[in-house]
Amino acid sequence: RKFTFTANQDLGELQLGGYDPKLVSTDFTMFKMTGLNAYAIDIHSITYGGVELLHFADTNHEKTFAGEFDSGTTCLLIPSSVVKGNFTTAPFSVLRAQQMMGKHHPIVYKSRDIHGQEHSYEMPYSECVEPTEETMILGDPFFRRFVILHDLVDLDNKMMGIAAKNPSYQLGVWTDTSILVPHNPRVHITGTGLTRMHAKRKMRDAGFVQVLAQTKQALHDAHKDALFGADCLWGECNLVDKVAVKSKTMVTYQVQLVIGTPPQPLDVIFDTGSYMLAVFANLPPAGMKPLLKEDKKKK
């Protein structure tokens, strides 16, 4: 139960079963996975030109906040509120005040690994940063800059790993480009049990973002009784919207799967911000729209 994901401006690569050592130029730094139904790590500091953005309230005894790795979020998202008293000042307002003074700096995230050692991860000024209501999202910029390992081998000790990407490794060269091609062989790394999958990267416009939001709402309405039980669709148990306040576009990574007997090919959106595989066995709820249908028309 391990998988690794990384990307560039053109495509992504999903490695199931672990990771190819050739993909990384450093060892993975491992962090405790935190949060509910989310691939998250505790962030204890974010600085912009040396100015601290996270001013924790006394009620936040851990002095940390969960940063969620979400491949389906285009930008870095920083809370624009005090998040139920976790902060004394909204983190995004501190950042905005610095930017309004014309200061251009990278954003530096800090977290402690499983051994308690502090590590810093720098995001260039050129990466987009947007406000959100209550969540901190380590979005697509993290996956393009680093290799992210998700380790669920021990469900009582789940971990996240971050490593530097090997600049000479070419994404997608040895991956399955399509499971729909008859007799197309699966791509395995001999003796490792590792499978590499090609993920098509696409920037979606405002229309797609709106339809996706409507789709999620329709799915929520159809299953609202289950949302407050043990299972939480889309990982949104508290119904907090993870989409940035002003976001007009979003990135998607699309992979191909076969499901069922007999096998049925499906195009699905790979999104680490949603903790479950969601496909419809019956007719979808009223108001749902096949989001990837337009992609097929354009081929």
Side-chain angles (χ1 to χ4, degrees):
R1 289 195 291 263
K2 289 183 181 181
F3 69 92
T4 302
F5 188 69
T6 191
N8 57 30
Q9 293 285 359
D10 302 311
L11 75 159
E13 183 166 318
L14 172 62
Q15 298 187 351
L16 303 177
Y19 69 97
D20 182 351
K22 296 178 182 178
L23 177 61
V24 297
S25 60
T26 64
D27 292 334
F28 277 96
T29 300
M30 302 304 297
F31 301 86
K32 180 182 177 182
M33 189 185 298
T34 60
L36 179 64
N37 295 326
Y39 298 115
I41 62 175
D42 284 335
I43 302 295
H44 66 267
S45 172
I46 303 177
T47 56
Y48 184 79
V51 176
E52 182 61 59
L53 306 187
L54 304 185
H55 297 278
F56 294 105
D58 291 338
T59 52
N60 185 330
H61 302 297
E62 299 296 329
K63 306 303 181 193
T64 63
F65 195 80
E68 302 180 22
F69 290 96
D70 186 354
S71 63
T73 299
T74 307
C75 300
L76 303 168
L77 303 191
I78 295 177
S80 59
S81 72
V82 296
V83 193
K84 298 182 176 66
N86 274 276
F87 305 105
T88 59
T89 306
F92 189 83
S93 68
V94 181
L95 172 65
R96 186 59 178 162
Q98 293 296 307
Q99 292 178 333
M100 290 294 288
M101 290 189 285
K103 297 180 179 180
H104 296 176
H105 304 287
I107 294 181
V108 180
Y109 292 76
K110 294 182 180 180
S111 183
R112 294 184 179 91
D113 65 21
I114 57 176
H115 305 294
Q117 297 297 310
E118 183 181 81
H119 297 268
S120 300
Y121 297 96
E122 184 177 296
M123 291 287 115
Y125 174 79
S126 57
E127 294 290 359
C128 63
V129 182
E130 295 185 340
T132 189
E133 293 294 339
E134 296 188 346
T135 51
M136 180 190 298
I137 304 296
L138 313 178
D140 186 55
F142 260 88
F143 290 93
R144 286 188 285 103
R145 191 167 179 82
F146 302 105
V147 180
I148 308 299
L149 172 66
H150 309 68
D151 184 347
L152 293 88
V153 172
D154 182 354
L155 294 180
D156 294 323
N157 186 31
K158 296 178 289 187
M159 295 184 289
M160 299 293 300
I162 304 177
K165 190 187 305 182
N166 179 358
S168 65
Y169 185 93
Q170 292 183 288
L171 298 182
V173 173
W174 299 106
T175 56
D176 285 334
T177 56
S178 175
I179 61 168
L180 308 182
V181 178
H183 311 299
N184 188 38
R186 304 283 68 80
V187 178
H188 298 279
I189 299 178
T190 305
T192 65
L194 189 70
T195 300
R196 295 184 280 199
M197 297 179 65
H198 182 280
K200 297 178 181 178
R201 186 178 192 270
K202 188 168 184 177
M203 290 300 300
R204 304 290 184 170
D205 59 18
F208 184 93
V209 175
Q210 181 179 10
V211 171
L212 180 60
Q214 293 170 349
T215 300
K216 287 188 175 184
Q217 185 62 50
L219 189 59
H220 162 62
D221 292 343
H223 298 84
K224 58 184 177 182
D225 292 333
L227 275 168
F228 297 98
D231 298 322
C232 301
L233 292 176
W234 305 99
E236 294 172 355
C237 301
N238 57 3
L239 300 184
V240 173
D241 190 356
K242 294 190 297 183
V243 177
V245 175
K246 299 180 180 180
S247 182
K248 298 298 182 184
T249 61
M250 69 175 293
V251 65
T252 62
Y253 290 96
Q254 190 174 318
V255 299
Q256 295 179 319
L257 303 176
V258 288
I259 298 175
T261 304
Q264 300 179 58
L266 290 175
D267 287 337
V268 300
I269 294 175
F270 172 76
D271 180 6
T272 62
S274 298
Y275 82 104
M276 67 189 308
L277 173 63
V279 296
F280 290 108
N282 300 313
L283 291 176
M288 299 289 286
K289 179 181 179 181
L291 294 176
L292 304 182
K293 187 175 181 180
E294 293 301 317
D295 291 347
K296 291 185 175 296
K297 288 182 179 180
K298 296 175 182 178
K299 290 181 179 179

